Amino acid sequence: MSNGKVKIWDAHTIQIYKRLLGYTKRFWPVGLIAIAGMIVDGGGLAVFTKLLKPMIDKLFTEKDPVMIFWMPIWIVMVFLVRGVGTFASSYGVAYIGRNVVNAIQRDVFAAYLRLPASFFGREHSGHQVSRITYTSEQVAVASTDAVKVVITEGVTVIGMLYAMLSTSAYLTMALFVMVPLIALIASVVSRRYRTISRRIQSTMGGVTGTVEESVQAHREIRVYGGQEQAASRFKDVTDNTRRLNLKIASTNAQSSSAIQTVAALALAVMVFLATRPFEIEKMSAGDFIVVLTAMGGMMPSLRRLANVQSNIQSGMSAAENLFEIIDTAPEVDAGTRVLDRTQGDIRFEDVSLKYARGDLEALRGINLHCAPGTVTALVGRSGSGKSSLVSLLPRFNEPTTGHILIDGANYESFTLASLRRQIAWVGQSVVLFDGTVAENIAYGELAGASEADIIAAAQAANAWEFIQKMPGGIHCAIGQGGNLLSGGQRQRLAIARAILKNAPILVLDEATSALDTESERLIQQALQGLMKDRTTLVIAHRLSTIEHADQIAVMDQGRIVERGTHAELLAQNGHYAALHRMQFHSQPGD
Ligand SMILES: Nc1ncnc2c1ncn2[C@@H]1O[C@H](COP(=O)(O)OP(=O)(O)O)[C@@H](O)[C@H]1O
Ligand SMILES: [Mg+2]
């Protein structure tokens, strides 16, 4: 994040503004129409103000018949034209603004899809959500609404100035007292904005995050009586947002009232000057009304011009935040070779891994060879590094030192997409998507799979039995996150997905942990068939399920401490034998 001390018109901000305008480029015809509308909108008021002089002097003082005929028509014409201008500017600005928000939202979302896995652990998911829902809205206000205010109100002010000057230059001089004062107020006010609005953005992320968490944890909150704690946390974050919003409102209000006071002062000066003996003779009632109305009509425009700073400020810090994400380096994908179909020879050479957060090495000096078509089981206490080790394969994390070779070549030399195409993965926590059962099994690049293949995969994963009972079978919608399914059912869908992918490397990270012994055994049989022609890495907490693995690697504190077959390791009477004894004594029959 940047330091928050950015000036309003320094090079950096101008660069952000230019980049934002880049988003509006496509819409230049709409932009031109909108700008024309703004000019008509702002100018219309000035024209009407000018009309006030003949209206008063000719209609009521001289009773001119031509004027009496034309005046009502002119008034209607002026406001008809102005109405068209108002519509063009308002709708045009909304049109461009909505399109810009949409484009930015898509860019940020696209960034989320290509950012490295480590990015998602760095900040609360609420912040990631609120960038799309809240921050991008702020940007729309800056890139378009601010432009509208600047042009419409700018033209109004200029038009009113012209009306005044051409009517009475002498009185207009009174106005110049206001200019430096207003400029001073505006600059003092604007300084506060960027810092406050930046803080609002981050508290919005906190609000979203807190709500998300409480909604997800609704069961835990109820069972553990966390209502009070959740409510007070929510109160804290929303209080903070409210406080900051009020700060902004107070700054706005202060500047508004200050400017109005200054304007009223100028008005008083004007009345005083107009009524001096040498001036009062020269001035008609129409003249005075024109200058007075022009001054009055200018005040709200000046106030809006002064406030536009705040929109620009908050929009700029919002845009800065979004561009930072859009510019964050994507996953490293420097490989050029396309891995067609690997034989499945995987070799870890002296691999260590240190997460960005946390100073402990999650993996230390890992050497492991998984021969094509074999099953390697990883066992060990929780936190020993099993998941970390397999997370290296699809390059969710990069090894800090050491190499990983696939078919004898450094796996970084392959393109990410082709590497990941080789891997079917069932993770510890299964994520399902909002859609039907079939869409969840045939997800992503599998989307074209035939119904027969999907059903076959579901059968192999022992999932067919429960899918059949659902209304609509594989076309049953399972809802966001698969909330309506049990943990075991979700795992079986994930296994079906992996089976359908039919990739040469299969990673099962406690893929059957939520299943009962019976279903696990059934799936185990299915997986046994599946494992035949591929290289499998399996992490299992029930040792009974991995007894037939070609090799078992026992992990402890990031190291592989023992390696061998089930029989060899039992004979060694070390870690594995101890784990084995423990499970079979505490969970007979499991
Ligand atoms: N994304 C992460 N960031 C930082 N530390 C992590 C992350 N994931 C895991 N760790 C740490 O790495 C160690 C190994 O974790 P993990 O590989 O998940 O163990 P296992 O799968 O064997 O239970 C643990 O100490 C854990 O705290
Ligand atoms: Mg794990």
Side-chain angles (χ1 to χ4, degrees):
M1 297 281 142
S2 11
N3 52 22
K5 286 190 195 110
V6 195
K7 299 256 168 53
I8 317 163
W9 290 119
D10 66 348
H12 179 67
T13 316
I14 288 173
Q15 215 180 341
I16 297 175
Y17 219 86
K18 269 195 189 150
R19 192 160 165 192
L20 268 181
L21 284 177
Y23 279 94
T24 64
K25 237 182 225 151
R26 279 193 305 135
F27 307 107
W28 67 266
V30 182
L32 281 185
I33 294 171
I35 288 175
M38 293 171 203
I39 293 170
V40 170
D41 187 354
L45 208 59
V47 171
F48 175 74
T49 309
K50 264 308 253 191
L51 273 180
L52 284 172
K53 179 182 159 66
M55 211 191 294
I56 288 162
D57 292 346
K58 294 245 156 80
L59 288 185
F60 297 105
T61 317
E62 295 168 27
K63 309 205 174 1
D64 180 343
V66 181
M67 275 294 171
I68 286 174
F69 177 78
W70 281 108
M71 187 53 79
I73 297 172
W74 282 351
I75 292 175
V76 172
M77 298 270 277
V78 168
F79 279 94
L80 267 182
V81 172
R82 185 171 181 240
V84 172
T86 309
F87 175 81
S89 70
S90 297
Y91 186 71
V93 159
Y95 182 85
I96 297 175
R98 287 294 105 198
N99 276 290
V100 169
V101 172
N102 197 230
I104 292 183
Q105 283 174 332
R106 261 178 293 168
D107 281 357
V108 173
F109 193 75
Y112 287 166
L113 294 181
R114 62 178 149 71
L115 286 173
S118 58
F119 166 81
F120 295 94
R122 266 207 301 270
E123 62 175 2
H124 202 294
S125 66
H127 288 283
Q128 286 152 8
V129 174
S130 84
R131 261 193 209 100
I132 305 251
T133 55
Y134 177 79
T135 314
S136 54
E137 293 291 327
Q138 300 284 101
V139 173
V141 173
S143 63
T144 49
D145 290 8
V147 174
K148 182 185 170 199
V149 169
V150 167
I151 296 180
T152 310
E153 310 304 347
V155 170
T156 306
V157 169
I158 292 168
M160 293 301 187
L161 260 180
Y162 170 76
M164 290 168 80
L165 273 172
S166 61
T167 309
S168 167
Y170 164 75
L171 277 188
T172 310
M173 292 308 154
L175 186 91
F176 288 112
V177 183
M178 291 165 63
V179 176
L181 268 172
I182 288 178
L184 182 79
I185 294 166
S187 86
V188 169
V189 163
S190 70
R191 226 168 289 148
R192 285 170 61 90
Y193 270 107
R194 191 174 279 243
T195 16
I196 301 178
S197 58
R198 188 186 298 272
R199 274 157 61 198
I200 287 188
Q201 264 165 45
S202 71
T203 58
M204 278 310 289
V207 172
T208 321
T210 311
V211 174
E212 245 182 26
E213 201 179 279
S214 304
V215 169
Q216 268 164 20
H218 65 101
R219 289 199 181 87
E220 283 80 355
I221 289 178
R222 279 164 183 74
V223 170
Y224 291 98
Q227 285 97 337
E228 225 163 90
Q229 201 178 330
S232 96
R233 219 177 112 207
F234 185 71
K235 184 173 174 298
D236 284 349
V237 287
T238 48
D239 273 355
N240 203 10
T241 317
R242 181 190 45 136
R243 214 167 33 78
L244 291 173
N245 270 316
L246 283 178
K247 254 188 194 165
I248 287 230
S250 135
T251 315
N252 261 335
Q254 281 168 25
S255 82
S256 295
S257 39
I259 286 174
Q260 294 211 20
T261 309
V262 172
L265 210 82
L267 197 65
V269 171
M270 203 183 91
V271 173
F272 176 80
L273 291 176
T275 48
R276 289 313 88 199
F278 56 89
E279 187 65 25
I280 204 160
E281 293 305 320
K282 281 187 285 180
M283 191 164 291
S284 73
D287 286 333
F288 187 76
I289 292 295
V290 167
V291 178
L292 190 72
T293 312
M295 267 222 52
M298 234 157 103
M299 274 192 251
S301 297
L302 285 173
R303 191 182 35 130
R304 264 176 235 141
L305 278 174
N307 283 347
V308 80
Q309 290 276 40
S310 79
N311 285 348
I312 296 179
Q313 294 282 331
S314 58
M316 284 302 105
S317 62
E320 204 178 2
N321 180 288
L322 297 180
F323 289 152
E324 231 168 69
I325 295 299
I326 293 172
D327 293 343
T328 305
E331 288 183 287
V332 181
D333 187 10
T336 49
R337 295 166 58 197
V338 174
L339 189 52
D340 211 19
R341 190 169 174 97
T342 167
Q343 301 151 18
D345 186 276
I346 307 167
R347 196 181 279 279
F348 296 86
E349 280 185 347
D350 273 321
V351 169
S352 72
L353 172 68
K354 201 169 170 174
Y355 286 107
R357 266 211 329 220
D359 29 34
L360 262 167
E361 278 190 308
L363 295 173
R364 292 183 289 177
I366 298 285
N367 283 293
L368 185 66
H369 179 224
C370 309
T374 64
V375 176
T376 301
L378 299 174
V379 300
R381 286 185 299 195
S382 112
S384 56
K386 306 180 297 289
S387 296
S388 300
L389 181 59
V390 291
S391 79
L392 298 174
L393 275 183
R395 293 180 70 186
F396 294 152
N397 293 301
E398 303 284 329
T400 314
T401 61
H403 299 286
I404 295 172
L405 308 179
I406 297 219
D407 298 347
N410 189 336
Y411 80 155
E412 287 173 19
S413 66
F414 302 116
T415 64
L416 260 187
S418 75
L419 173 72
R420 287 175 179 170
R421 228 165 265 141
Q422 312 302 316
I423 302 170
W425 179 285
V426 184
Q428 249 167 325
S429 51
V430 173
V431 178
L432 296 176
F433 299 90
D434 196 7
T436 65
V437 171
E439 283 163 359
N440 265 285
I441 295 178
Y443 177 73
E445 292 185 331
L446 305 172
S450 74
E451 201 157 301
D453 288 345
I454 295 174
I455 293 175
Q459 280 165 340
N462 200 22
W464 184 236
E465 186 201 342
F466 79 84
I467 293 173
Q468 252 182 334
K469 288 186 196 137
M470 293 165 79
I474 59 168
H475 299 298
C476 176
I478 50 180
Q480 207 175 7
N483 278 334
L484 306 176
L485 298 177
S486 78
Q489 289 172 329
R490 271 188 283 192
Q491 279 193 332
R492 280 180 276 175
L493 285 191
I495 292 169
R497 190 190 285 161
I499 291 173
L500 185 65
K501 183 163 180 177
N502 189 23
I505 297 173
L506 177 63
V507 176
L508 303 167
D509 186 351
E510 304 198 359
T512 51
S513 57
L515 296 181
D516 55 282
T517 320
E518 183 54 30
S519 322
E520 186 173 32
R521 203 156 285 154
L522 282 169
I523 292 185
Q524 216 62 46
Q525 286 163 7
L527 289 177
Q528 226 83 55
L530 188 73
M531 289 171 185
K532 224 168 260 153
D533 319 307
R534 57 201 88 220
T535 309
T536 307
L537 277 139
V538 54
I539 301 172
H541 74 299
R542 286 197 195 107
L543 297 184
S544 58
T545 59
I546 49 109
E547 278 174 10
H548 303 292
D550 297 284
Q551 62 174 344
I552 297 169
V554 185
M555 296 194 64
D556 190 45
Q557 297 186 23
R559 289 181 192 281
I560 293 179
V561 288
E562 270 174 19
R563 210 181 62 223
T565 63
H566 174 70
E568 285 166 4
L569 291 178
L570 278 187
Q572 261 185 37
N573 203 18
H575 285 83
Y576 182 78
L579 277 173
H580 195 260
R581 256 198 315 277
M582 226 148 58
Q583 277 203 0
F584 280 83
H585 284 154
S586 60
Q587 298 165 286
D590 193 59

